[in-house]
Every structure is written in C-alpha cells, then in structure tokens.
Amino acid sequence: MKNIAKSLELTMGRIRQAEQKYGRGPGSVKLLAVSKTRSADEICAARKCGQYDFGENYVQEAVDKILQINDSHLIWHFIGPVQSNKTRQIAGYFQWVHSVDRVKIARRLNDARPGHLPPLNICIQINISNENSKSGVRPADLPQLVADCRNLPRLRLRGLMALPEPSTDTGLQRKPFRQVKMLLDAVNSPLMLLDTLSMGTTQDMEAAIAEGATIVRIGTALFGART
Ligand SMILES: *Cc1c(COP(=O)(O)O)cnc(C)c1O
C-alpha cells in the first residue's frame, strides 16, 4: 500500500497551491478521493488522515465496500456511467451522483431515492472535447436536462461534471474546462444556484482549478497507478 498520509498531504498541497496561483479562495476546492479498485483498508487509511469524500465507478464493488466499512461519516460519490438497472442501489447508498447524462436516469434516481434520506446531490456530466465518449450530455441538450432535473424533488442539482480527453499540455487542458464553466454560468440562476464544478484528475487538476473546479476527482496521485 502506498503511503496514503504522505500522498494526501502532497495532493492537498497541489490543490492549495493552485488555488493561490489562480486566485481561487483558500479551501474553495474539495478533494474527492477516487477509490475505485482500491481496498477497504486503503479507504480507511485515507479516512484516518481526515479524508471523508470518496468516489466510486462500479456499483457492486462500491456497495460491498460501503457495507464493509460501515462508517456514516463517509460521503460516497458515484462517478461512473449509470446503468438504469443500477439506479436503485445508487440512490440508496450514495450521497452524490456526478454522472447523470439523461432524463431517464434522473427520473429513476429521483423515484428510487429513499424517503428517509435527504435529496440526492447530482451533477450533470457534459460531453466536452471527447467525441468518442458515449458519456455525457451534448452541450446543446444541457438546458433541457437542467430544467428536467430541477423539477425532480428528490434530486438536488448541484452543477456540472466533465472528464475531457486527456492531454499533457496545460494550455490545451484548460480549454475544455473553460467551456464547462461557461456552460454552468449559462444555465445558472441565483434562485437555484449551482455551486459545483466537478472536474480535474491527477494529470490535469491544476488546469481545472484555474478554470473554476470546486471538486477535483483524484485517484492515481493518492493511491498509486491502477492495474
Ligand atoms: C478514475 C477516474 C478519476 C481519477 O483519475 P486519476 O487519473 O486516477 O486521478 C476521475 N474521474 C473519473 C470519472 C474516473 O473514472
């Protein structure tokens, strides 16, 4: 197991430094630890260092770990593609879903959200700069999906999520993130404020923070390369 205390500290350092460099408020960017393929022990090691938000992509793997760890202080975020036959489990076990990209899925999550839990926080995933990916709503279809989600009482629409095509050039990395920020501003309204931009991974978190990310989703930098 990687030294998670050390890598958490280094990653928080990268985030705080980027906040400062790009004029973002101190503490305005939250670290979401992407724990897909990682063991319950690795998650617990991060939790001992004060990390409470974890992101998972695969429903069955996630539910197994959520039940095994059984810690009500942890906040679980679903960040993978949502299949309609998995919406009941996702709505029951997670507090956030970052990857809503069609109204059918939004309705199913809304209908399945248990009554004793608060509304499910969701982000709409945008397909930006990634023509090959099937995930994410096209920018032209975003306003309608936003309107549909705002009408679902068991969902709380928080903002947008994106996973652009990887690039190692910081200048190129910033462009799609800037487009996502502009899309958020275009659909935002002071009456129903969207406060979340979920964007940036290990290799492009600085570019995402420069363009307004409020949540960065980091796996590799914390836990090492996935096999
Ligand atoms: C795996 C994954 C991440 C984390 O990527 P790293 O490069 O390991 O930091 C972030 N977002 C999504 C949607 C992922 O599937």
Side-chain angles (χ1 to χ4, degrees):
M1 198 192 293
K2 205 172 147 86
N3 182 339
I4 289 170
K6 186 74 198 160
S7 56
L8 255 176
E9 192 184 312
L10 288 171
T11 302
M12 287 311 296
R14 272 177 76 178
I15 293 171
R16 297 299 166 240
Q17 205 169 8
E19 283 175 348
Q20 200 169 25
K21 176 168 177 186
Y22 297 109
R24 303 288 312 282
S28 57
V29 180
K30 183 197 279 284
L31 170 60
L32 175 57
V34 175
S35 48
K36 64 181 175 213
T37 79
R38 300 298 169 177
S39 68
D41 283 349
E42 288 171 288
I43 293 169
C44 291
R47 187 250 190 264
K48 284 204 188 74
C49 303
Q51 177 64 34
Y52 291 93
D53 290 84
F54 292 91
E56 292 280 343
N57 293 53
Y58 312 105
V59 178
Q60 198 51 57
E61 175 198 334
V63 170
D64 289 347
K65 289 188 281 189
I66 291 169
L67 292 173
Q68 187 188 345
I69 296 169
N70 188 27
D71 182 339
S72 62
H73 295 102
L74 295 188
I75 301 168
W76 294 97
H77 301 242
F78 191 78
I79 63 173
V82 183
Q83 295 170 291
S84 38
N85 63 349
K86 296 284 167 37
T87 45
R88 184 157 301 278
Q89 275 184 303
I90 293 172
Y93 284 105
F94 287 83
Q95 284 98 315
W96 283 74
V97 180
H98 292 227
S99 40
V100 173
D101 63 0
R102 51 197 200 277
V103 67
K104 178 186 171 194
I105 292 297
R107 286 206 189 100
R108 289 183 67 100
L109 290 170
N110 177 77
D111 296 348
R113 182 64 170 171
H116 67 280
L117 296 175
L120 181 64
N121 295 292
I122 64 157
C123 291
I124 293 174
Q125 183 173 355
I126 302 284
N127 188 335
I128 207 98
S129 87
N130 200 343
E131 307 304 325
N132 297 323
S133 167
K134 291 192 296 309
S135 301
V137 66
R138 287 178 302 153
D141 297 329
L142 176 65
Q144 184 61 54
L145 185 53
V146 167
D148 291 337
C149 289
R150 279 181 167 144
N151 280 327
L152 294 170
R154 301 296 295 143
L155 302 184
R156 182 169 170 217
L157 180 61
R158 299 294 298 267
L160 304 181
M161 181 273 231
L163 183 64
E165 194 81 67
S167 156
T168 48
D169 178 295
T170 311
L172 291 180
Q173 286 174 352
R174 285 182 65 163
K175 190 170 163 227
F177 293 137
R178 190 173 321 138
Q179 290 173 324
V180 178
K181 166 73 167 132
M182 285 167 57
L183 289 167
L184 181 83
D185 291 344
V187 293
N188 219 339
S189 111
L191 292 177
M192 293 179 109
L193 192 67
L194 304 179
D195 59 8
T196 301
L197 271 177
S198 167
M199 54 190 198
T201 63
T202 293
Q203 71 166 2
D204 55 15
M205 67 175 107
E206 281 84 4
I209 291 170
E211 299 298 342
T214 64
I215 298 179
V216 289
R217 306 180 310 268
I218 310 298
T220 307
L222 294 177
F223 299 110
R226 287 176 297 275
T227 47

